[in-house]
Amino acid sequence: TVKPKYKCEGNEILSLDVELPTQTAAQAENIPLDIIYEDEDIMVINKPVGMVVHPGAGNSNGTLVNALLYHYPKSSELARAGLVHRIDKDTSGLLVVAKNLEAQFSLSKQLAKKSVYRIYDLIVYGNIIAGGTIDEPIKRHPVDRIKMAVLPGGRDAVTHYNVKERFQHFTRVQAQLETG
């Protein structure tokens, strides 16, 4: 232990013993997780349709965050339990979850720089002729706060989509989403 004004000379070995405070008030719950991949830094989880990603109004339990806190208690030390992105309740798919601060920072930075991106495979009603790009700002819908809408002043959002398969009244589309 040294005084706060101590200046290092360059040959010292410094160590810092820190206990991170809990970042979430959510409670751990024994909810099964479909872990597709895991190492010491990240987990890739297959989120099912119907599961909310993080607690909010009307969804204080039964969320992915509640499950993460149970299966990986150290996630309570990370903002949003290590989540760096989310998908809607009615969407299934893979989510990357950080297991430490370094991984969370790195993943967040990669998403911000758009060096990684999300790809969605979806079925839409109607017959889409060809692929294209939607470049419109999105933000919370002013009336239905659960939904997002194209509105001025929203976050930059660019979606590139391609038709993969056509059916009688539906089209299978693959979309790559970039948000700012």
Side-chain angles (χ1 to χ4, degrees):
T1 305
V2 296
K3 293 182 180 182
K5 291 184 179 183
Y6 176 80
K7 291 185 181 182
C8 294
E9 295 174 8
N11 57 355
E12 298 89 346
I13 295 177
L14 304 175
S15 66
L16 184 61
D17 215 7
V18 175
E19 188 170 319
L20 296 172
T22 299
Q23 295 293 310
T24 179
Q27 300 300 310
E29 292 180 53
N30 187 3
I31 300 167
L33 288 177
D34 183 6
I35 300 172
I36 303 300
Y37 173 83
E38 183 174 11
D39 63 26
E40 61 190 34
D41 297 312
I42 65 166
M43 285 185 275
V44 177
I45 296 171
N46 187 17
K47 185 197 86 64
V49 167
M51 178 182 264
V52 174
V53 173
H54 49 77
N59 296 298
S60 60
N61 53 30
T63 71
L64 180 59
V65 166
N66 299 112
L68 286 169
L69 292 169
Y70 179 86
H71 294 283
Y72 190 67
K74 287 191 70 74
S75 65
S76 68
E77 298 172 353
L78 302 172
R80 296 172 309 282
L83 290 166
V84 292
H85 64 108
R86 64 169 193 82
I87 53 179
D88 293 340
K89 175 182 178 180
D90 295 327
T91 302
S92 64
L94 301 179
L95 285 167
V96 180
V97 181
K99 292 174 65 177
N100 55 56
L101 282 171
E102 294 82 9
Q104 190 174 36
F105 178 75
S106 177
L107 289 167
S108 296
K109 195 171 163 183
Q110 289 173 59
L111 282 168
K113 290 169 94 176
K114 299 180 180 159
S115 61
V116 295
Y117 49 87
R118 292 157 276 189
I119 296 177
Y120 296 86
D121 197 38
L122 52 141
I123 305 288
V124 298
Y125 183 74
N127 294 304
I128 296 178
I129 305 296
T133 297
I134 302 167
D135 186 354
E136 297 286 345
I138 60 170
K139 68 179 183 181
R140 289 237 177 259
H141 190 282
V143 177
D144 188 347
R145 304 297 293 161
I146 294 174
K147 294 183 180 180
M148 301 298 281
V150 172
L151 293 168
R155 287 185 305 162
D156 290 340
V158 178
T159 302
H160 307 284
Y161 62 93
N162 293 301
V163 172
K164 293 296 179 186
E165 196 172 353
R166 290 184 179 85
F167 305 101
Q168 187 173 357
H169 300 292
F170 302 91
T171 308
R172 181 175 155 243
V173 176
Q174 190 171 75
Q176 178 183 321
L177 176 66
E178 304 169 11
T179 56

